[in-house]
Amino acid sequence: MTILVAHGSSDQNWANTFVEMTTLARQSKTDTQLAYMELNEPSIQTIVNNAVKEGFNHFVILPLFLARGKHLKRDIPDILKNLESELGITTELLAPIGEHPEIAEAIKNILNKN
Amino acid sequence: MTILVAHGSSDQNWANTFVEMTTLARQSKTDTQLAYMELNEPSIQTIVNNAVKEGFNHFVILPLFLARGKHLKRDIPDILKNLESELGITTELLAPIGEHPEIAEAIKNILNKN
């Protein structure tokens, strides 16, 4: 299973952008779920716990963050380590999207259009 | 002139990702500068004030944000409105990168590789 992780916000409309990204991401990976670090639900833990009941045992996590702050450096690795030892699953934490060359390329393309 | 606007962070390494994005963005738009909303320098105001002295009078602003929070909804529009009336410049505020289809496409491509 693939889990996209967004920051979360108290703004009701903020999450819409990430829900749309997740819908499109399912064109690449059908079993893609969206989790939030704070202020929105579900959490990574909720998604993983439910998925394990359905038989999933490996999770690829792609943070929908542009750069590495506290959540990326500490919180997400800690959550994954705990879930691995509790549930016997394996996880792979990818670099935040902003560190993948595809995003810089996308920014160039946005600027070329405008 | 094109101004990319990032959030800013107290983490010393956080900005590196945005500096690299800006370097690559200059392949599309040579006159591209990077500004921050908080905790890093320079601000949008500093960049615009300096650029006006060099003869620039139109600015395209691309927020390096994935979704719209307070900075996007209120702070950036207010800053641009004030600069326009103070300096007689024109500005065009683009949607945050997360709302452009290029980013969702980039996420799909990142997932396809992993």
Side-chain angles (χ1 to χ4, degrees), chain B:
Chain B
M1 171 175 281
T2 301
I3 305 178
L4 306 177
V5 183
H7 186 278
S9 169
S10 56
D11 186 305
Q12 289 295 316
N13 299 315
W14 184 88
N16 294 348
T17 305
F18 297 93
V19 171
E20 283 173 30
M21 283 177 191
T22 305
T23 302
L24 288 166
R26 288 190 180 120
Q27 294 175 3
S28 289
K29 304 283 180 184
T30 316
D31 291 319
T32 297
Q33 299 290 335
L34 175 62
Y36 300 92
M37 291 307 294
E38 50 183 87
L39 299 162
N40 292 78
E41 289 289 335
S43 64
I44 298 173
Q45 292 95 325
T46 298
I47 285 179
V48 169
N49 275 292
N50 289 339
V52 164
K53 290 175 197 159
E54 295 172 26
F56 290 96
N57 55 24
H58 182 67
F59 297 84
V60 174
I61 291 85
L62 177 61
L64 300 181
F65 285 69
L66 291 174
R68 289 175 198 262
K70 183 175 70 72
H71 285 317
L72 265 288
K73 289 183 171 176
R74 200 181 60 192
D75 300 340
I76 298 178
D78 283 356
I79 288 168
L80 298 180
K81 199 174 150 192
N82 288 338
L83 288 168
E84 285 186 346
S85 60
E86 279 172 34
L87 300 170
I89 59 166
T90 53
T91 68
E92 182 189 359
L93 177 57
L94 304 180
I97 57 170
E99 292 186 7
H100 293 262
E102 286 81 358
I103 295 294
E105 199 61 37
I107 293 169
K108 281 171 58 179
N109 292 335
I110 293 168
L111 291 177
N112 279 333
K113 280 195 318 191
N114 286 283

Side-chain angles (χ1 to χ4, degrees), chain A residues 2-13:
Chain A
T2 301
I3 304 178
L4 305 178
V5 183
H7 185 279
S9 169
S10 56
D11 187 305
Q12 289 295 314
N13 299 315

Side-chain angles (χ1 to χ4, degrees), chain A residues 26-99:
Chain A
R26 289 190 181 121
Q27 294 175 4
S28 289
K29 303 283 180 183
T30 315
D31 290 320
T32 296
Q33 299 290 333
L34 175 62
Y36 301 93
M37 290 307 295
E38 50 185 87
L39 298 161
N40 290 80
E41 289 288 336
S43 64
I44 298 174
Q45 292 93 326
T46 298
I47 285 178
V48 169
N49 274 292
N50 290 339
V52 164
K53 289 174 196 157
E54 294 172 28
F56 291 96
N57 55 24
H58 181 69
F59 297 85
V60 174
I61 290 86
L62 177 61
L64 301 181
F65 285 67
L66 292 173
R68 288 175 199 262
K70 183 174 70 70
H71 285 317
L72 265 288
K73 289 183 172 176
R74 200 180 60 194
D75 300 340
I76 298 178
D78 283 356
I79 289 168
L80 297 180
K81 198 174 150 192
N82 287 339
L83 287 169
E84 286 186 345
S85 61
E86 279 172 33
L87 300 170
I89 59 168
T90 52
T91 69
E92 182 188 0
L93 177 57
L94 303 180
I97 57 170
E99 292 185 7

